[in-house]
Amino acid sequence: MDNSIIEAIYADFESSQNESQLDFTDDLTKSKFRKSQFNLSVSLTPGELSAIFDTTVAQPKLNSENGLYNQFLDVLQAFRINSPLQLLEILQYFIDNCLDTISILKDQNQRVDWLEQELNTWRLLLTLFQVQHLEPEKVDNIVSERDLADALFKEDQKLKGIQRIVDWLEHCAAESMENEFMKDAKHFSDEEVAWPNTLGQLLKKELIYQSSGAMVTQLDPDAPTRQSRSIHDLDQVDDDRLLTQVFTEIRCGRLEKAELLCCQYGQFWRSAILEGWRLYHDPFYKPKEEQKPTDEVLGNPNRDVWKVCAWKISSDHKTSPYWRATIGILCGNIEAVLPVCNRWEDILWAHLHTIVNVAVESHIQTHKSNNFISLPEKYWEYKMTLDDIVAELKSNPKLAVRQEAHKPKRQIQQYFMTNQFRELVNIMADWAENSLEADPQFLRFLAHLILVIRWAGIEHDELAANLIIQKYIEVLIPMNDPILVAYYTSQLEVTSQVTIYSKFLEKMVLSEQRTSGLMAAEKFSLPVEEITKRIVETYRNRFTNMTNGQDLFSEITSDDYELISALDWIIYYPHQVEEAFIQINAVVRNFVAQGKIQAARLAFNKVQKDSINRILNNADIDLEKLLEMDMISVSKKIQSLILEYLAYKCYLDAEEGFAEWFHEYHQTKPIEPIKLHGNADYAKKLIYDHNMEQYQTALTNWKKIVSSSSQIVVEQLFNLLFFPNGWLVDHENEDKNRHEHFELLRTICIPKIFMLLHTILHSAERYTECLKLASYITDKTHKFYQLFSQADLKKLLAKIAESSVCIMESHNQQLDPWGFEK
């Protein structure tokens, strides 16, 4: 950005340049810093805070305060903070958002005080940060009091900051103190002359109401004081109201308007008195080449005399308290001002205004050789600092002021004024976690304050800051807006990002929702792989339990469906295929252990067709050759995952094959026709013979089908028993829990497989093969006997004994009870 533009943004604006404005553009839109309509501050500095206030109201985005959530996010998304200027611009957009919403809420007759306080806080931050980034300047060619004051404010950043707070307080007062009825002259007087009723009574006019007390006999401005008499009662009432409004205008920074009011009602002397504080400036002392045709002499050359006189007026307790306060604020007599200040902001304004007044006067008298008239000692005794003022506000005798000083938004403003950022962030974290003030909009405000503090490079407690942002995210989550949640989650450290965003995504069921949630996470560079992994692990820990599934009800529950659905998160990204195998295998492992074969199959099927090729980096691999893992150059971990996957495939195929065989054997067997009685007639015998013929045909076909089916299932079961290197025997498994799960599954499934084999072989009258099962169990190579409990082994041997009996009862006399030939 051009240096001239930067200088212009930070420049002070002359109070006479009411229409000046500065435009500059960036990626978002044009940002305009305009002067306020209330640019009548009595401040001593020529610079005005109102120069950076933009009172333009943009088109509202939403019709309620809830629109603030997205409006603030829109601003943040448009910027990448890399310069102080962008931070200032963000603050200006925050102000615009608040102004838009206030306008909407007012149209809806809703309360806006909470948002007006937030608006004023953003304005305070804007002006403080602006001053913070100003570079001190050295001023040459100082020829007047005004030049000295200008130089002081350019060199002393701290004093400049205090002056900007004064301007801010005046601007806030101008917006809030809209006493429209005071604009009507009839509220001060019926005529545009000073004290018309006093004048009428002195001229012996007939008046409806005569003054009750001793009235002045002369009508000059000093007559009431000189004669110790009063003006007419009605004039006194109007005068009190006028002086109250004059002070109010001064409080709002509208000096010219206060002077205009005095002139409008014939009190020109008061208007002249209000002009006496102005710093003297004679541009004609400069060299001719530096003079301009428009130059003119400004200010009061006898300002020191005016100040001494003003101090006496403001110290006169017989004078109206509001007139004393008006003169007192201009001459630096704070004791005359405080009696009429009943609010936090008024007392702060009075103190800060006095700090500036004393500092400027001290600088002028130090650097000017004039013989100044001595000011009262009390004037120079004022030594309060900003920290002292804040402490005084918190312990003020007035209850309302103390309560206001302890309100959260006032505390925020106080901490910013005193640069106590670490304390501010800590107390904000306490409000966010424990305070009743922590409503959604307040949390939004706190979260954005934290972001501004970070971007400004201010040192603070990061843990407390993250807590505030997390509390705000908790407000955003129920809105189900992934962009909102993802952006603010991205402002946390990685561990919290994974935890918080995974919880947000957990509740998303529809595919469209999940896609939008992950796209938002990608947009703001969240660790999506860790997030999807955490979601699946959360569901696994919540819904699974590695227990013996023999006695469990094997129906799929709603929790099971949720867990299976959660696996979609881990297969969303193709490059996450290794983690997908880990998680899917773990879920299948748990379902198998619980005896939920259907659920296990649904989870197993989440492995997509090309996943194996992708994890092996081999598009041409034959699935049947995967068992020959030595032929594939992959890591031991990948081999372990693939073998586990194939082990489950083998088991599920065997279980499902047995279920189909069981259905065929028990549910599809043809039913033999009912035998006839011996005396049945010939027609029934013919029908019976026909049915028997069909039955025999169907029975023959059924036996063939069952025989074929049983042979396939027997092969599947034996394939599992003699799985290469052992079913779920993983010598490379370094995960202790996984190894324990494997051992548990082997003790559950292997005995079960032997029972299924015996059931099929016995039903097929393959008794000899039934007896061979005992030799398989006792074989020391595979050591299946180690996987049997005593109860399981006893049950299986009883079944084998039944097969032995069947051999002996069979007509095959060549076999002994063990199935061997005699």
Side-chain angles (χ1 to χ4, degrees):
M1 185 175 292
D2 191 271
N3 289 334
S4 61
I5 297 180
I6 297 176
E7 292 171 1
I9 292 176
Y10 287 133
D12 291 326
F13 289 77
E14 295 294 339
S15 59
S16 60
Q17 296 172 337
N18 292 324
E19 298 303 323
S20 65
Q21 69 180 40
L22 171 72
D23 294 357
F24 68 96
T25 58
D26 70 347
D27 294 338
L28 181 65
T29 183
K30 281 191 174 183
S31 174
K32 298 184 178 181
F33 297 91
R34 296 187 177 86
K35 285 197 61 93
S36 166
Q37 57 180 317
F38 303 122
N39 186 23
L40 299 173
S41 171
V42 300
S43 308
L44 296 175
T45 176
E48 300 292 339
L49 172 66
S50 55
I52 59 173
F53 288 161
D54 188 350
T55 57
T56 305
V57 178
Q59 290 296 322
K61 293 186 177 182
L62 296 176
N63 59 0
S64 73
E65 64 192 52
N66 291 332
L68 287 170
Y69 298 114
N70 285 298
Q71 290 176 30
F72 272 64
L73 176 63
D74 290 344
V75 174
L76 298 180
Q77 287 190 85
F79 289 89
R80 294 292 181 268
I81 305 300
N82 52 29
S83 74
L85 282 178
Q86 290 187 322
L87 181 57
L88 295 178
E89 201 168 356
I90 284 177
L91 290 170
Q92 181 60 49
Y93 278 110
F94 286 173
I95 292 169
D96 293 341
N97 290 340
C98 292
L99 287 170
D100 295 347
T101 305
I102 287 172
S103 176
I104 295 169
L105 294 178
K106 283 183 176 179
D107 291 342
Q108 297 172 349
N109 295 319
Q110 298 185 40
R111 53 182 291 269
V112 296
D113 55 319
W114 61 273
L115 189 53
E116 287 177 338
Q117 286 196 28
E118 178 182 335
L119 165 67
N120 290 332
T121 304
W122 290 127
R123 285 173 167 168
L124 174 63
L125 266 62
L126 176 58
T127 190
L128 290 178
F129 283 137
Q130 186 196 39
V131 173
Q132 182 181 5
H133 291 97
L134 286 173
E135 294 292 335
E137 298 179 40
K138 283 289 183 181
V139 180
D140 299 323
N141 297 327
I142 298 176
V143 298
S144 67
E145 293 179 350
R146 180 173 173 178
D147 290 339
L148 279 170
D150 289 348
L152 175 62
F153 283 108
K154 290 179 179 179
E155 294 171 1
D156 191 336
Q157 299 295 85
K158 187 174 182 180
L159 186 64
K160 181 70 171 177
I162 292 175
Q163 178 56 53
R164 285 296 176 85
I165 298 174
V166 172
D167 291 339
W168 168 73
L169 288 165
E170 291 173 353
H171 184 88
C172 295
E175 287 192 337
S176 62
M177 300 178 183
E178 296 177 355
N179 299 319
E180 295 294 333
F181 70 96
M182 292 295 188
K183 295 180 180 180
D184 192 337
K186 293 182 180 179
H187 289 291
F188 301 116
S189 173
D190 293 329
E191 301 179 33
E192 295 183 0
V193 295
W195 305 336
N197 294 289
T198 304
L199 177 62
Q201 189 165 332
L202 289 177
L203 295 176
K204 302 183 186 287
K205 289 185 178 180
E206 293 185 5
L207 299 176
I208 298 176
Y209 178 78
Q210 296 291 320
S211 183
S212 59
M215 199 180 72
V216 295
T217 59
Q218 296 175 326
L219 207 57
D220 61 277
D222 295 326
T225 303
R226 186 177 65 254
Q227 297 181 349
S228 297
R229 289 170 174 259
S230 64
I231 59 177
H232 193 281
D233 294 345
L234 295 179
D235 290 338
Q236 189 63 57
V237 172
D238 289 339
D239 214 41
D240 290 342
R241 298 178 69 185
L242 173 62
L243 295 178
T244 301
Q245 184 63 17
V246 166
F247 176 77
T248 299
E249 297 299 341
I250 297 294
R251 170 68 184 85
C252 295
R254 302 191 290 231
L255 175 63
E256 283 82 356
K257 188 172 182 181
E259 294 174 353
L260 182 62
L261 278 174
C262 294
C263 295
Q264 190 173 355
Y265 302 112
Q267 301 190 20
F268 294 96
W269 74 89
R270 295 194 193 276
S271 179
I273 291 174
L274 296 181
E275 277 290 301
W277 69 274
R278 294 192 184 276
L279 297 172
Y280 182 64
H281 177 65
D282 188 348
F284 299 106
Y285 279 100
K286 293 182 179 180
K288 270 193 172 183
E289 58 271 13
E290 295 183 17
Q291 296 178 16
K292 300 177 184 177
T294 56
D295 283 344
E296 58 179 331
V297 178
L298 302 172
N300 182 4
N302 300 310
R303 191 179 57 83
D304 55 337
V305 177
W306 175 91
K307 207 160 193 175
V308 172
C309 295
W311 188 279
K312 291 181 179 179
I313 295 173
S314 63
S315 300
D316 185 1
H317 292 278
K318 296 178 182 179
T319 307
S320 163
Y322 281 96
W323 181 241
R324 289 179 58 216
T326 300
I327 300 302
I329 198 65
L330 297 179
C331 72
N333 186 2
I334 192 170
E335 291 184 1
V337 184
L338 291 178
V340 299
C341 296
N342 298 312
R343 302 184 305 168
W344 175 90
E345 54 267 40
D346 295 338
I347 296 173
L348 177 62
W349 171 78
H351 278 288
L352 296 182
H353 207 294
T354 304
I355 289 177
V356 174
N357 196 310
V358 174
V360 171
E361 189 66 36
S362 176
H363 186 72
I364 290 174
Q365 294 199 16
T366 301
H367 292 82
K368 200 76 171 165
S369 59
N370 300 28
N371 293 322
F372 293 100
I373 296 178
S374 298
L375 292 171
E377 291 184 7
K378 282 189 176 180
Y379 180 83
W380 300 111
E381 288 175 356
Y382 186 86
K383 301 294 183 182
M384 291 189 72
T385 64
L386 194 50
D387 291 329
D388 297 332
I389 296 169
V390 170
E392 192 278 332
L393 288 168
K394 291 182 177 180
S395 59
N396 194 279
K398 297 174 182 177
L399 176 62
V401 175
R402 291 200 307 275
Q403 291 175 336
E404 185 73 13
H406 286 88
K407 288 183 177 178
K409 288 180 182 175
R410 290 302 188 197
Q411 290 196 61
I412 291 171
Q413 294 166 2
Q414 290 167 170
Y415 279 120
F416 266 103
M417 292 175 194
T418 56
N419 294 325
Q420 294 178 291
F421 300 108
R422 181 169 291 274
E423 294 83 351
L424 170 61
V425 172
N426 287 334
I427 196 172
M428 285 166 56
D430 183 62
W431 293 335
E433 191 167 25
N434 304 312
S435 175
L436 296 177
E437 288 279 348
D439 63 348
Q441 292 293 348
F442 185 64
L443 284 171
R444 173 192 52 76
F445 175 49
L446 295 184
H448 289 88
L449 277 176
I450 290 298
L451 296 181
V452 169
I453 289 172
R454 281 181 175 175
W455 292 334
I458 297 171
E459 184 178 350
H460 61 283
D461 187 336
E462 278 294 333
L463 291 178
N466 287 336
L467 173 63
I468 294 168
I469 296 176
Q470 287 178 34
K471 290 295 181 181
Y472 180 50
I473 295 172
E474 290 177 9
V475 170
L476 299 176
I477 285 177
M479 300 180 190
N480 292 319
D481 187 334
I483 297 295
L484 273 173
V485 177
Y487 178 83
Y488 293 99
T489 302
S490 70
Q491 302 304 311
L492 303 171
E493 76 282 0
V494 175
T495 303
S496 297
Q497 289 178 7
V498 173
T499 302
I500 292 175
Y501 205 71
S502 64
K503 287 183 178 178
F504 171 64
L505 294 182
E506 277 178 22
K507 300 177 182 179
M508 294 185 176
V509 178
L510 300 179
S511 175
E512 297 81 4
Q513 292 177 322
R514 292 178 171 182
T515 300
S516 63
L518 290 175
M519 289 177 64
E522 292 175 5
K523 180 177 181 180
F524 299 112
S525 303
L526 296 180
V528 288
E529 294 184 15
E530 289 298 318
I531 289 170
T532 53
K533 177 183 176 181
R534 178 68 62 85
I535 295 172
V536 177
E537 289 180 342
T538 299
Y539 273 98
R540 281 177 49 202
N541 295 333
R542 187 183 305 164
F543 294 143
T544 62
N545 183 24
M546 288 299 299
T547 58
N548 191 309
Q550 292 179 339
D551 298 324
L552 294 179
F553 187 66
S554 61
E555 290 295 327
I556 306 178
T557 66
S558 59
D559 288 348
D560 297 334
Y561 280 118
E562 285 188 36
L563 175 56
I564 294 167
S565 176
L567 293 174
D568 290 335
W569 291 109
I570 207 68
I571 62 176
Y572 187 87
Y573 295 105
H575 58 271
Q576 212 172 352
V577 61
E578 182 176 328
E579 186 62 36
F581 270 95
I582 294 173
Q583 298 297 338
I584 292 173
N585 282 346
V587 172
V588 173
R589 186 189 314 146
N590 279 276
F591 281 141
V592 170
Q594 296 176 52
K596 297 181 177 181
I597 303 306
Q598 292 180 342
R601 172 56 76 177
L602 291 175
F604 181 85
N605 289 341
K606 290 294 181 179
V607 174
Q608 301 175 358
K609 293 181 179 179
D610 60 343
S611 297
I612 294 178
N613 293 333
R614 192 180 303 116
I615 197 172
L616 297 174
N617 296 319
N618 191 333
D620 301 323
I621 193 71
D622 185 355
L623 189 64
E624 299 299 328
K625 295 182 180 179
L626 282 175
L627 295 178
E628 301 176 16
M629 295 299 291
D630 292 338
M631 298 175 62
I632 304 173
S633 58
V634 294
S635 67
K636 296 293 185 180
K637 182 179 180 180
I638 298 299
Q639 289 189 31
S640 177
L641 291 175
I642 295 298
L643 285 173
E644 182 182 0
Y645 167 80
L646 294 175
Y648 296 138
K649 181 180 187 304
C650 185
Y651 179 79
L652 294 176
D653 289 346
E655 281 276 12
E656 291 169 357
F658 177 83
E660 292 177 4
W661 171 86
F662 190 86
H663 175 77
E664 288 285 343
Y665 188 83
H666 293 281
Q667 302 296 327
T668 64
K669 185 177 181 178
I671 300 175
E672 185 178 354
I674 301 174
K675 291 184 179 181
L676 298 177
H677 298 291
N679 56 355
D681 59 29
Y682 180 74
K684 290 182 178 181
K685 288 181 179 180
L686 285 177
I687 294 174
Y688 174 77
D689 292 341
H690 177 72
N691 290 339
M692 279 297 295
E693 185 179 348
Q694 289 185 327
Y695 165 71
Q696 291 296 335
T697 302
L699 182 62
T700 301
N701 293 333
W702 173 80
K703 287 180 178 180
K704 290 180 180 179
I705 294 172
V706 169
S707 176
S708 175
S709 176
S710 62
Q711 182 58 35
I712 293 173
V713 177
V714 167
E715 289 178 3
Q716 290 175 330
L717 294 172
F718 273 115
N719 286 339
L720 187 145
L721 288 179
F722 300 106
F723 192 84
N725 297 319
W727 188 77
L728 288 186
V729 175
D730 190 353
H731 300 290
E732 303 297 330
N733 191 352
E734 297 179 357
D735 187 337
K736 183 177 179 182
N737 289 332
R738 184 165 173 257
H739 179 76
E740 291 176 354
H741 293 172
F742 281 6
E743 291 301 313
L744 175 61
L745 281 180
R746 284 171 58 77
T747 59
I748 293 173
C749 298
I750 297 298
K752 184 179 180 181
I753 294 300
F754 273 100
M755 289 297 297
L756 297 181
L757 270 171
H758 181 274
T759 299
I760 296 176
L761 294 173
H762 188 85
S763 300
E765 298 180 357
R766 297 162 62 175
Y767 304 124
T768 302
E769 294 180 54
C770 291
L771 299 182
K772 288 182 181 180
L773 294 179
S775 63
Y776 296 144
I777 295 173
T778 58
D779 181 62
K780 292 186 178 181
T781 301
H782 296 92
K783 299 180 181 179
F784 291 129
Y785 55 85
Q786 294 180 347
L787 305 175
F788 280 81
S789 65
Q790 287 188 351
D792 289 338
L793 190 58
K794 183 177 180 180
K795 184 178 179 181
L796 180 59
L797 291 176
K799 294 290 185 181
I800 293 175
E802 292 177 7
S803 300
S804 179
V805 171
C806 291
I807 288 178
M808 289 188 295
E809 293 177 350
S810 67
H811 298 292
N812 191 350
Q813 301 298 324
Q814 297 180 355
L815 299 178
D816 63 14
W818 300 106
F820 295 103
E821 293 184 1
K822 294 180 180 179

